[in-house]
Every structure is written in C-alpha cells, then in structure tokens.
Amino acid sequence: MCELFGVSAATHIDVTDLLREFFSHSVRHPNGWGLATFYGNSTSLEKEPVTAADSEYLRHRLSHKVETCAMIAHIRKATVGTMDYENCHPFVLRDLSHRCWTFAHNGTMFDCPMLDGYYHVQEGRTDSERVLYCFVDNINKAITAAGRELTDAERFSLIDKLVCRMTPGNKMNFLFSDSEYMYVHTNYANSLYYLNTQGGTLFATVPLGHHSWEPMPFTTLCVYRNGDLVYTGTRHGNEYIDNIQDTRYLFLDYSAL
C-alpha cells in the first residue's frame, strides 16, 4: 500500500509539520515520493524515484514553511511498475478544454479491462497512470460529443459513473484534482481519513498529528471545493477485501511486459 495526503482549502494552510510526518512514513513506502501543488489551472509537480527520507531535495523543501490551499502528496510502495521517475505519483494530464488533472492512487487495479487500451500511450508502467488516462479520455469524449467544455456537474457525474464501473475487484483509494475540485474515494476499509480544519479539509491514508481525523465516506466518491463537500456520488458498495489470488498478482514481473 502507498500513502496519500491531500489539501482542499479556501485559504492557505500551513502543512509543513504534517508533510514532514507524512514523508517520514517512507521507510515503509520506499519506492518514490511526489508532491503536487496547484496554481490556477497549472500543477507544480515535484517527485523522485527515491525514498523520501533519503531525498536531499525534499529535506531542503521541507526546511521551509509549506503553505497551500490545494495539494496532493504521495509516497509509493510499488506493486505495478518499476522504481522510475515515470512511475512515481502523482500523474498529470490535460483534457481537451486544457483543464489540468492530477491523480495519485493508493491501491491496485487487479481486473479492469477498460484500462488495457492505455498501456501503450502512458509514459510509465503503472496501473494508476492508466486510471488517469481513462478518466481524461472519457472526459475528452464527452467534450467532443457535447461540442463544448463540460459543466462541473457533468464532470462529476462522468467520473462517478467510471468509478462505479472500475471498483469491482479493484482497490481504489485516490485523490484526483483539477486544481479547483478535489475528488476523493476509498473502497478499502480504514485506509483514508479526513480532517476538517480552519479554512479547509485535509485527507490522509494514516491520521497525522494530534488531531481527531474521521474515516472518509466508504465506497462513495466525494468532491470538495475550497474545503467544502460539494458533490456526493453513488454508494456503489464495491468494497475491496484482500485475498490470496490478488496477493500473488502483486509479485508478477511487470518489467518484462
């Protein structure tokens, strides 16, 4: 399992201490780290295929105050894809309306044929990046069909339907953002929490600091804007539960594909 940390807020929040604690967990998640911060319709992406605790760059980055109103951070424990820059989360892709999408995933897509067509167009080799390509490709198809940019509600409805189709048999904890809206989802028990704080909402795989975090709504896509919950999706009920067959899948040699 990887770990996620995210911020959706109306004002800038100082998350320096929480990020330091989050990245200290890299001793258990040593296969890369990433940090995406958002400015308007642009994403500033910082990531390395090294253990976060060993990164001189990240140590310097966190020696200064980190304040943000929109962020996604990730530490990776690889299941699919080798330890390379291209396989580190988050991943970024623009749609036809030039909206910039950023995606980070804590999970594995064990059985999802609708992702197969993106294997040869993605930059890396992770199943997580293919989820992003699938989301954006379907957004692009809807934009083309409508002949215009989608509304906020239309984008939400589309992503909600895709999540319902993708989740059976797959572990899908993720943070997905277009800089303005943060899409949050979990279908693996006790593995994603939220914290309402002054000015916004924080998300984390493991509760951080001395705060009273609450479990995220389960098997339900939630969308936040400026820290407020603005859309709640279908309660699809597709919980992922560990099993021996899927565990064997994790040890396949994906470098040979």
Side-chain angles (χ1 to χ4, degrees):
M1 292 282 288
C2 305
E3 284 193 27
L4 301 167
F5 175 73
V7 179
S8 173
T11 60
H12 281 71
I13 297 173
D14 183 351
V15 292
T16 314
D17 290 339
L18 293 177
L19 276 178
R20 288 171 181 161
E21 181 181 349
F22 171 75
F23 282 119
S24 74
H25 298 172
S26 64
V27 294
R28 300 188 301 275
H29 308 275
N31 303 124
W33 67 271
L35 182 65
T37 47
F38 308 118
Y39 304 92
N41 191 34
S42 297
T43 299
S44 174
L45 184 63
E46 304 161 271
K47 59 184 183 179
E48 291 181 298
V50 301
T51 304
D54 296 335
S55 171
E56 291 294 333
Y57 175 89
L58 185 58
R59 185 175 298 112
H60 176 74
R61 180 76 162 85
L62 297 181
S63 68
H64 300 80
K65 183 182 292 187
V66 180
E67 294 182 321
T68 186
C69 56
M71 170 184 285
I72 294 176
H74 185 275
I75 46 178
R76 182 175 183 237
K77 185 174 182 180
T79 54
V80 179
T82 54
M83 192 171 170
D84 295 300
Y85 176 87
E86 293 80 5
N87 293 328
C88 291
H89 306 222
F91 305 100
V92 178
L93 196 62
R94 285 190 182 272
D95 66 26
L96 288 178
S97 65
H98 304 292
R99 187 174 295 270
C100 191
W101 293 93
T102 303
F103 181 80
H105 182 207
N106 168 17
T108 304
M109 306 302 289
F110 295 99
D111 182 17
C112 192
M114 63 189 299
L115 301 183
D116 293 348
Y118 305 102
Y119 184 84
H120 294 292
V121 297
Q122 66 181 125
E123 293 184 2
R125 285 294 176 263
T126 67
D127 50 354
S128 304
E129 187 184 7
R130 291 194 286 278
V131 174
L132 172 62
Y133 269 79
C134 184
F135 282 166
V136 173
D137 185 39
N138 278 273
I139 290 170
N140 287 340
K141 289 176 180 176
I143 290 172
T144 300
R148 57 169 173 77
E149 184 176 357
L150 302 183
T151 66
D152 300 338
E154 287 171 336
R155 286 192 299 273
F156 162 70
S157 178
L158 175 59
I159 299 302
D160 184 48
K161 290 175 182 176
L162 289 171
V163 169
C164 291
R165 290 179 59 191
M166 289 180 174
T167 44
N170 297 305
K171 187 188 298 183
M172 283 194 75
N173 286 8
F174 65 77
L175 300 178
F176 180 48
S177 177
D178 66 352
S179 301
E180 183 178 7
Y181 291 88
M182 180 77 79
Y183 295 69
V184 185
H185 179 269
T186 176
N187 70 334
Y188 187 61
N190 305 315
S191 62
L192 194 60
Y193 298 83
Y194 74 95
L195 174 67
N196 290 324
T197 187
Q198 185 174 4
T201 304
L202 309 180
F203 312 95
T205 301
V206 177
L208 303 169
H210 302 290
H211 305 287
S212 298
W213 294 73
E214 298 288 338
M216 279 296 301
F218 198 51
T219 67
T220 305
L221 180 66
C222 296
V223 184
Y224 293 77
R225 183 177 183 273
N226 296 331
D228 295 326
L229 180 62
V230 292
Y231 293 113
T232 301
T234 306
R235 187 174 179 85
H236 54 73
N238 299 321
E239 178 181 1
Y240 178 79
I241 300 173
D242 289 318
N243 63 77
I244 294 176
Q245 182 177 352
D246 287 350
T247 301
R248 291 170 181 163
Y249 173 94
L250 299 181
F251 296 97
L252 293 176
D253 182 10
Y254 292 95
S255 64
L257 294 177

